Amino acid sequence: MIKRNRLGLYLFAAPALALYGGFFLLPAVQGLRYATTDWDGYSPTFTEVGAANLTDVVSNDDLFRNALTNNLKFLLVVVVGQTLLALLLAVLLAARSRSSTLLRALFFLPTVLSSVSVAFIWKFVYDPNFGLANTLLQAVGLGRFQSAYLGEEGTAILWVAVAQIWFHAGQMMVIYIAGINQIPAELYEAARTDGAGRWQQFRHVTWPMVAPATALVIAYTTLQSFKAFDLILGLAGNPPRSSLDVLATRIYTTFANSHLGYAAAESIVFMVVIAVVTILQNRAARMAHR
Amino acid sequence: MTRRVVLGIYALLIVVPLVVIVGGSLKTTPELFASPFGLPTDPTLDNYTTVLAKQDLLRVLGNSVLVVLVSVPATLLLGSLVAFAVARLPRWPSRILFGIFALGLAVPAQAIMIPQYVQFDRLGLRNSLTGLMLVEIVVTLPVAVFILAGFMRTLPGELFEAAEIDGAGSWASFARIAVPVSYPSMAATAIFLIVMHWNDLLYPLLFIDDPDKRTLPLALLDFQGEYLTEYPLLFTGVVVASLPMIIAYAFLQRHFVAGITAGAVKG
C-alpha cells in the first residue's frame, strides 16, 4: 500500500521533471558544449576551438569587459539605492493605518508594469529636449543642471539604475515591512525605557532584526540587476549603444550577430560572475549586520 | 513631519509619470511637448485608433492572453504536483526532487537562452506560440515548485494519511485535500506567474519572428523603432499593455503583493 503510494508520487513529479529536464537542464548542459565551438547557429558544420572562446571572453574582449563594468556599476547603484530606499519606506509605512495601506499599494504599483512600459516612461523622463526631468529643472530655475541623461557617455547606466529602482523599490519595501512587523514590540519598549531615541531604536533594534530581510532583498536585487535586459532594450534600443550595454544584452547581441558558440561561452562567464558576486555579498551582508 | 514630506515626494515620483503617460496618450505630439504636465486641453483618441489599427494590437493582445491562459494553469498544475510529491515523499527522495528544481532558481534565463534557442529551433517549436508557452512553463517551474512546496511541506501529514486510510489514493488526497487547503499559496503563485508570463520580453524576442505571433511586450518594443520620439503613440502602447495588469491589481491587490513577494522571496 505504502509502496504503491510512493510510486504514485513519483508519477506526479514525472511530467514536470521531463519538461524541466528536457528543456531547462539539458540545454544548460548543451550550452557547455556549444561554448567550445565557433558555431554560428545555422551552418551544418563548425570547428572545435576548445577553451579559446572562454579565454577570449575573460582576457581579450573589450566589449565584454565594457558590459561587465557597466553591469557592476548598475548593480552597485541599484543594490545600495534600492535597499536603502525600500528600508526607509518600510520604516515609515510599517505601522498600519488607512493612509499607509494606500501608500504601500501605490509604491508597489510599478512592479506590476512590464519592463518595456517602464522603459518608455523613463525614456520620456530623460528625453533631453522635451523630457520631464529637464522641463522640471528649467521650470524651477535649475536649468544649469539639465543633462542628456542616457546620452551621457559615462553616467548613462546610472540613469537606468534610477529607473530600475523606481520599478522595484516597492517590491523590496514589502519584504522589509514583513520583516519589521515580526519584530516583537517589547524590544522597542525596552529600548525606550533605556532612553533610546528614534535613531537609536532603528540602529539597535530594527536594523539588526531585519538582517534576514536585508539578505533576501540584496540577493534578489542582485539577480534582478543581472536580468535587467528588457529595461535596457526598451530604453536604449536593440542593440544598445556601448554606454548602456550590460552582460545579458552583450550575450544577446553576440548571438544575434551569429556567433552562437562565443555567446554560449559568454553565458558561462556570466553565470560565474553572478555566483562570485552572490558569495561576496553574503559575506558582506553578514559583516554589516554584526 | 519629515515622514509626510518623504512619503509625499515619493508618492509624487510614482504618480506624476503615470499621469503624464495617460494624459499624454490623449494628446498630440506638439501639445505633449508644449505642456507635458498639463491636462489634455482637447483630448483625442486618435492615438488609440492609430495604434490599434496599425499595429494589429488586438491580435497581439489576443496572443498575450492566450499564452497566459495556457501557460499559467499548466505551470500551476505541474508545479503543485511536484510540490505534493516533495511534501509526501520520505526525506531523501523529497530533498533530491526539491534540489533538482531549486537548481533552476540560480540560473537566469539569459544564461540558457542560447542552447534553448537551438533546441526549440530544431524541434520546430520556435516562432510558434506553443513553443513560447512551453518555454515560459519550463523557466518558471522552479519558482512555482519553490513557493508551493514551501507551503505544502508545512501541512501536517495526518491530513493526508486520514484520507488515504479511508481508501482514497494519492490523486484524491492531492485533488481533494492538498489543492483546496493550499488555495492562498496557489493564488499567490498564479499571480506571480501571470505577471511573469504577461510581461516577459526575452523569449518572445528570441523565439518569435512572425509579426502575427508577437505578444504585447514584443510589439511594444517594436514601437520604439517605428515611433522613435512620437511619445503619445508610445504612451498609448504603454497604457494598452499595462491596463489589464493595473485593473487586476486594483481588485486583487493583496494577492498581487503576496504573489510577487513570494516569488521574490523564493525566486
Side-chain angles (χ1 to χ4, degrees), chain B residues 55-71:
Chain B
Q55 297 293 333
D56 209 1
L57 216 56
L58 285 179
R59 185 184 189 110
V60 170
L61 194 67
N63 290 341
S64 275
V65 171
L66 187 68
V67 168
V68 166
L69 277 181
V70 175
S71 62

Side-chain angles (χ1 to χ4, degrees), chain A:
Chain A
M1 179 66 192
I2 287 171
K3 272 266 179 285
R4 212 193 66 202
N5 269 351
R6 198 187 287 186
L7 183 69
L9 289 173
Y10 286 123
L11 286 177
F12 274 27
L17 265 179
L19 290 178
Y20 172 72
F23 297 108
F24 193 108
L25 298 179
L26 180 66
V29 176
Q30 281 171 326
L32 302 177
R33 168 84 190 92
Y34 297 138
T36 64
T37 70
D38 70 348
W39 193 33
D40 54 18
Y42 48 85
S43 304
T45 59
F46 54 80
T47 317
E48 288 291 339
V49 297
N53 284 340
L54 276 174
T55 50
D56 275 355
V57 174
V58 174
S59 60
N60 195 17
D61 185 340
D62 290 342
L63 291 173
F64 191 83
R65 183 160 303 166
N66 168 61
L68 177 64
T69 313
N70 284 339
N71 215 149
L72 292 178
K73 276 195 218 165
F74 179 75
L75 173 85
L76 190 71
V77 176
V78 174
V79 167
V80 174
Q82 180 165 287
T83 306
L84 291 179
L85 178 63
L87 181 57
L88 173 68
L89 296 174
V91 167
L92 296 181
L93 292 177
R96 275 212 169 275
S97 74
R98 187 178 283 256
S99 67
S100 82
T101 312
L102 194 77
L103 286 174
R104 282 185 205 179
L106 179 68
F107 295 168
F108 188 83
L109 182 108
T111 307
V112 309
L113 303 175
S114 77
S115 320
V116 187
S117 298
V118 173
F120 286 1
I121 294 171
W122 283 86
K123 204 169 130 73
F124 185 59
V125 172
Y126 290 148
D127 188 293
N129 302 314
F130 308 104
L132 293 185
N134 280 350
T135 308
L136 206 61
L137 286 171
Q138 187 73 50
V140 297
L142 294 171
R144 67 205 140 94
F145 291 112
Q146 287 184 339
S147 158
Y149 305 101
L150 302 173
E152 303 279 351
E153 194 55 36
T155 50
I157 195 72
L158 306 181
W159 296 111
V160 181
V162 171
Q164 172 80 2
I165 293 172
W166 184 88
F167 192 8
H168 286 297
Q171 188 183 7
M172 301 305 141
M173 169 196 77
V174 170
I175 298 176
Y176 266 128
I177 289 177
I180 291 174
N181 286 338
Q182 279 172 359
I183 302 175
E186 299 87 65
L187 289 181
Y188 288 106
E189 280 158 29
R192 274 194 294 270
T193 327
D194 292 346
R198 275 167 73 185
W199 168 251
Q200 282 172 320
Q201 286 179 41
F202 173 80
R203 177 70 191 82
H204 297 290
V205 181
T206 313
W207 176 244
M209 291 301 283
V210 294
T214 304
L216 206 66
V217 165
I218 290 181
Y220 192 64
T221 306
T222 301
L223 208 52
Q224 254 177 358
S225 304
F226 283 116
K227 286 182 177 178
F229 173 88
D230 318 21
L231 188 67
I232 297 212
L233 287 193
L235 276 168
N238 183 18
R241 54 186 169 277
S242 69
S243 57
L244 291 172
D245 207 12
V246 292
L247 293 175
T249 51
R250 178 95 304 265
I251 295 171
Y252 183 81
T253 309
T254 309
F255 158 79
N257 291 339
S258 301
H259 299 294
L260 192 140
Y262 195 77
E266 288 179 329
S267 308
I268 294 172
V269 179
F270 179 51
M271 280 298 299
V272 173
V273 169
I274 295 178
V276 170
V277 169
T278 310
I279 292 167
L280 289 178
Q281 272 181 346
N282 283 343
R283 294 237 170 117
R286 242 175 279 152
M287 273 159 57
H289 272 290
R290 214 162 266 163

Side-chain angles (χ1 to χ4, degrees), chain A residues 5-6 10 12 16 20 22-23 27 34 92 105 109 112-114 117 120 127 130 166 171 229-230 234 237 251 263, chain B residues 3 13 18 33 82 84 90 93 100 104 110 114-116 118-119 164 199 201-202 220 224 231 235 242 249 260-261:
Chain A
N5 269 351
R6 198 187 287 186
Y10 286 123
F12 274 27
Y20 172 72
F23 297 108
Y34 297 138
L92 296 181
L109 182 108
V112 309
L113 303 175
S114 77
S117 298
F120 286 1
D127 188 293
F130 308 104
W166 184 88
Q171 188 183 7
F229 173 88
D230 318 21
I251 295 171
Chain B
R3 174 177 183 268
L13 279 174
L18 296 178
F33 287 168
V82 175
F84 183 72
I100 292 173
Q110 286 94 345
I114 286 156
Q116 277 177 325
V118 177
Q119 185 185 36
E164 281 159 31
N199 288 338
L201 173 71
L202 182 69
L220 206 54
Q224 197 191 39
Y231 286 106
F235 294 172
S242 310
Y249 176 63
I260 296 177
T261 317

Side-chain angles (χ1 to χ4, degrees), chain B residues 152-254:
Chain B
M152 287 194 196
R153 278 206 282 215
T154 63
L155 299 173
E158 297 86 40
L159 202 62
F160 306 108
E161 279 149 23
E164 281 159 31
I165 285 164
D166 286 348
S170 292
W171 174 258
S173 94
F174 169 74
R176 289 203 218 119
I177 297 171
V179 170
V181 298
S182 307
Y183 168 74
S185 71
M186 295 279 255
T189 313
I191 301 257
F192 176 76
L193 293 171
I194 291 171
V195 174
M196 293 292 285
H197 294 178
W198 180 268
N199 288 338
D200 184 40
L201 173 71
L202 182 69
Y203 285 105
L205 183 66
L206 200 61
F207 281 16
I208 304 295
D209 305 327
D210 208 336
D212 281 357
K213 294 176 183 157
R214 289 178 306 171
T215 56
L216 273 168
L218 185 57
L220 206 54
L221 189 69
D222 288 347
F223 273 36
Q224 197 191 39
E226 201 157 338
Y227 300 135
L228 218 58
T229 56
E230 286 180 73
Y231 286 106
L233 291 170
L234 293 182
F235 294 172
T236 306
V238 170
V239 173
V240 173
S242 310
L243 210 55
M245 279 300 130
I246 292 190
I247 292 173
Y249 176 63
F251 287 101
L252 300 167
Q253 202 205 101
R254 203 173 313 157

